[in-house]
Amino acid sequence: MKPAEPLSEADYLVIESTYGDRRHPREDAVELLGGIVNRTAEQGGVVVIPAFAVGRAQHILHILDVLKRSRKIPDLPVFLDSPMAIDATEIFRAHGEEHRLTREECRSMFELATFSKTSDDSKAIDASNGPMIIISASGMATGGRVLHHLARFLPDARNTVLLVGYQAPGTRGRSLADGSDELKIHGRYVPVRARIAQAQGLSAHADYAELCAWLDGSRLSPKRVFVTHGDPAASDALRRRLRDTFGWNCVVPDDRATFSLG
């Protein structure tokens, strides 16, 4: 561990840099998801969506509900197969004052999916054939019930796996995004024949332009900025952009580096 570096200034900013070197594509998430569901359903396939249990899973449910109610996708079975996502969705419905959906929109979203609460419920999904939609965790396919669904549906070219968030290096989700033709799941290699799609516009992380716009309107004037939470290239790109745009003293902390804020 490096020795602590003393800091004499009082005002500091810590900022993420997940998309510090890129812009989000200008895509319509509702249109994109609808197209993927329709194309897969026409083939008799299954859409598997690895989704973060809190926030992303509920967002996907709402979009699917909008698509179904407007008859832009067929009336397919939708399964929410994540105990944490189910609990989060129930909390979401119980506290409508904390979000912007109407009571009716929230009720409709809640009733859209079959909640798979037990492991037997989850196994029953894999015993079924498509077309259907499965939303399951984890969002980067690092663990959880989604692994069983990937092992079941990845080998079939009729199916689609839709990635709806950032995929960190070293995760199964990143391997799929990078075009891997096989994936190691539960000790065996599963062939990837399903279509792999991404909806980067659904990410909860801002891109560099959005971050800079927010900072510009914030009237902040930090003495030092710590750029964190990103791949090395993305973090360094944002560090340079903040330096050049705002003239700030920015640093990307090394792993295990310590700083004394005094």
Side-chain angles (χ1 to χ4, degrees):
M1 181 178 293
K2 294 184 177 181
E5 179 180 338
L7 298 176
S8 59
E9 312 296 330
D11 300 321
Y12 310 105
L13 172 68
V14 179
I15 189 167
E16 66 132 317
S17 56
T18 308
Y19 292 100
D21 59 350
R22 73 197 85 167
R23 297 291 307 274
H24 289 313
R26 298 304 176 206
E27 61 189 17
D28 184 317
V30 177
E31 182 178 334
L32 175 68
L33 185 52
I36 289 170
V37 170
N38 285 324
R39 183 162 48 250
T40 306
E42 288 170 2
Q43 299 175 161
V46 176
V47 179
V48 179
I49 306 177
F52 302 103
V54 180
R56 198 66 45 79
Q58 292 73 41
H59 191 183
I60 296 299
L61 281 175
H62 173 60
I63 291 176
L64 289 173
D65 183 51
V66 169
L67 288 166
K68 268 197 173 186
R69 285 191 287 109
S70 60
R71 298 185 178 181
K72 293 183 177 179
I73 60 172
D75 188 20
L76 306 178
V78 178
F79 296 94
L80 183 62
D81 188 27
S82 161
M84 182 183 291
I86 291 170
D87 288 347
T89 304
E90 290 174 341
I91 292 171
F92 196 89
R93 183 177 69 159
H95 296 278
E97 71 282 0
E98 299 295 335
H99 53 75
R100 292 180 292 177
L101 295 184
T102 66
R103 184 181 298 274
E104 174 58 27
E105 286 173 329
C106 198
R107 182 199 61 78
S108 182
M109 178 194 81
F110 189 86
E111 295 176 352
L112 171 74
T114 298
F115 290 176
S116 302
K117 296 186 176 181
T118 70
S119 58
D120 285 342
D121 292 338
S122 183
K123 292 174 184 176
I125 297 172
D126 287 345
S128 305
N129 294 313
M132 58 183 168
I133 301 167
I134 305 168
I135 306 168
S136 189
S138 67
M140 297 186 194
T142 54
R145 293 183 179 180
V146 75
L147 295 184
H148 296 278
H149 302 311
L150 291 174
R152 165 73 171 84
F153 296 110
L154 274 175
D156 192 331
R158 297 175 299 171
N159 302 328
T160 301
V161 175
L162 174 60
L163 304 173
V164 293
Y166 175 73
Q167 305 298 317
T171 64
R172 293 183 182 88
R174 183 61 168 264
S175 293
L176 289 174
D178 288 344
S180 177
D181 60 2
E182 61 181 6
L183 206 63
K184 189 175 183 181
I185 300 175
H186 300 143
R188 67 184 182 90
Y189 287 93
V190 176
V192 177
R193 301 190 185 98
R195 178 173 179 253
I196 309 300
Q198 285 188 275
Q200 296 183 13
L202 289 173
S203 175
H205 297 279
D207 61 31
Y208 74 78
E210 293 166 332
L211 288 171
C212 286
W214 176 76
L215 290 168
D216 187 49
S218 70
R219 300 184 182 277
L220 292 172
S221 183
K223 302 300 189 296
R224 196 162 196 187
V225 179
F226 297 93
V227 182
T228 64
H229 198 282
D231 295 344
S235 295
D236 190 59
L238 185 61
R239 176 192 66 80
R240 289 183 280 107
R241 186 171 293 274
L242 295 179
R243 178 200 63 197
D244 296 343
T245 302
F246 301 105
W248 291 343
N249 179 12
C250 303
V251 60
V252 178
D254 292 330
D255 186 32
R256 297 181 179 272
T258 60
F259 298 84
S260 175
L261 306 181

